[in-house]
Amino acid sequence: MPEEIKNNTQTTEKKKRIFSAIQPSGTITLGNYLGALRNWVKLQDDYNCIFAVADLHAITVRQDPKVFKQNILNAYALLLACGIDPEKSMFFIQSHVHTHAELAWLLNCYTQFGELSRMTQFKDKSQKHADNVNAGLFTYPSLMAADILLYQADLVPVGADQKQHLELSRNIAERFNGIYGKTFTVPDPYIAEVGARVMSLQDPTRKMSKSDENVNSWVAVLDKPETIMKKFKRAVTDSEARVCVGEGKEGINNLIGIMSAVTGKTADQITAEFEGKGYGDFKTAVGEAVIEELRPIQERFDRYINDKAYLEEQYRKGAEFALKISQRTLDKAMKKIGYLPK
Ligand code: ATP
Ligand code: LTN
């Protein structure tokens, strides 16, 4: 059990609490890593962090059972490999902690149809999966609110696409608190200092997304080095053939952004370094830098995924601890609503 969280659940809360989660809905990409996971790892020293693999959210889109099972375990092992440390943070699989689904139901009854109808992700996904516009897809934000509110999180690191859901979580918390008195902490978004936004390698005007059907548009954290190199070599660029940031150069801007994120160099330094060199050389250099960044993660992943006993021990402990903390909030909310205690 992470000592700090244990202590801070008592009276001496000093560090703020952070909650975030990622869906195991496919392979985790370089975008997820540079835009989210890498920041989560850093946050662990300054905050009390709670992280989850959001597998309940993932079935709002149809999943193949065998693939899904593997994706959940892979996501757990990959987050460990990226540096989520169960000694520092609480880290569990959402479906292992029953309070999430329970609070989500309660919160559904404090969430308006109109509010959910305005969610852009719902509108986008219901267009994309027109044959399966299920009620879960619609009420997805109440489950996300439950995830966050159960742990009384102060801050939630999310990308731009999840801001609207977080805003709704705040509204639900405020509404509930307004009716029953303070029950939930109202969470604030956590804006990372340098949040890298990685764009698609095939259409650099869109973000790199793991559900993009074009496999060349994304790099998976677990892609083999030769695959990574091939994808970078195929990346869409422009005809100017000059490595510098500029308008109409979205492809190169994106590659410079990636290079900068993995090497720590500024865009100016990168431009100077590649002065007089062609895009071919630059793409190879970006590919190599990304391969080197991901190599240790891939090695750790291989070790974890082959050690099922360790993984099981970690996710069991994580769930046990998460249940303990979240049950208190659920009990409190149920009592306020008027349910009879068991
Ligand atoms: P999907 O394609 O299924 O919508 P996704 O790849 O967009 O998935 P999410 O699971 O929605 O990823 O996001 C997980 C986290 O990764 C979020 O915090 C999100 O902001 C971040 N993230 C996702 N894609 C990128 C990206 N291209 N650049 C930076 N951050 C990203
Ligand atoms: N919906 C998020 C994943 C997610 C999440 C959360 C993020 C589920 N529960 C709670 C922050 C807080 C996504 O798809 N990126």
Side-chain angles (χ1 to χ4, degrees), residues 233 278-285:
K233 283 191 171 159
Y279 284 170
D281 288 344
F282 181 51
K283 286 179 176 180
T284 305

Side-chain angles (χ1 to χ4, degrees), residues 65-227:
K66 274 207 191 99
V67 178
F68 187 40
K69 195 171 184 183
Q70 192 60 52
N71 279 345
I72 298 169
L73 196 65
N74 280 358
Y76 195 87
L78 185 55
L79 262 63
L80 289 177
C82 285
I84 300 300
D85 180 351
E87 293 299 316
K88 290 184 188 161
S89 306
M90 205 196 297
F91 179 36
F92 61 96
I93 296 171
Q94 187 189 30
S95 64
H96 289 177
V97 186
H98 60 78
T99 45
H100 289 248
E102 289 170 32
L103 183 63
W105 169 255
L106 302 182
L107 297 183
N108 265 332
C109 303
Y110 297 83
T111 308
Q112 296 303 306
F113 185 89
E115 289 178 302
L116 293 171
S117 314
R118 285 193 288 277
M119 296 293 114
T120 52
Q121 182 177 291
F122 172 69
K123 291 189 227 166
D124 290 350
K125 291 213 172 169
S126 43
Q127 266 179 10
K128 225 164 132 189
H129 305 276
D131 55 335
N132 184 22
V133 185
N134 58 71
L137 196 62
F138 189 62
T139 60
Y140 177 117
S142 334
L143 177 59
M144 185 161 155
D147 295 342
I148 300 165
L149 302 184
L150 275 173
Y151 301 93
Q152 309 286 0
D154 302 293
L155 296 167
V156 183
V158 283
D161 52 333
Q162 296 297 321
K163 279 230 181 86
Q164 204 185 19
H165 290 163
L166 186 59
E167 195 53 43
L168 183 55
S169 301
R170 287 173 56 86
N171 292 343
I172 297 171
E174 278 166 355
R175 182 171 306 141
F176 197 99
N177 290 348
I179 303 171
Y180 301 107
K182 179 148 186 338
T183 311
F184 301 121
T185 302
V186 180
D188 284 312
Y190 177 89
I191 314 293
E193 284 159 36
V194 273
R197 187 152 196 260
V198 182
M199 308 308 279
S200 155
L201 296 182
Q202 291 299 313
D203 176 1
T205 60
R206 291 171 35 196
K207 76 161 196 167
M208 182 181 281
S209 170
K210 57 176 138 64
S211 56
D212 196 320
E213 276 154 28
N214 184 347
V215 295
N216 287 317
S217 72
W218 44 260
V219 167
V221 175
L222 294 177
D223 270 346
K224 291 200 175 71
E226 53 276 23
T227 310

Side-chain angles (χ1 to χ4, degrees), residues 74 77-78 80-82 221-225 294-308 311:
N74 280 358
L78 185 55
L80 289 177
C82 285
V221 175
L222 294 177
D223 270 346
K224 291 200 175 71
L294 299 182
R295 192 188 301 282
I297 297 175
Q298 297 188 350
E299 285 170 2
R300 284 194 294 269
F301 173 81
D302 287 342
R303 278 209 303 278
Y304 287 131
I305 206 67
N306 288 309
D307 190 350
K308 297 278 183 304
L311 287 178

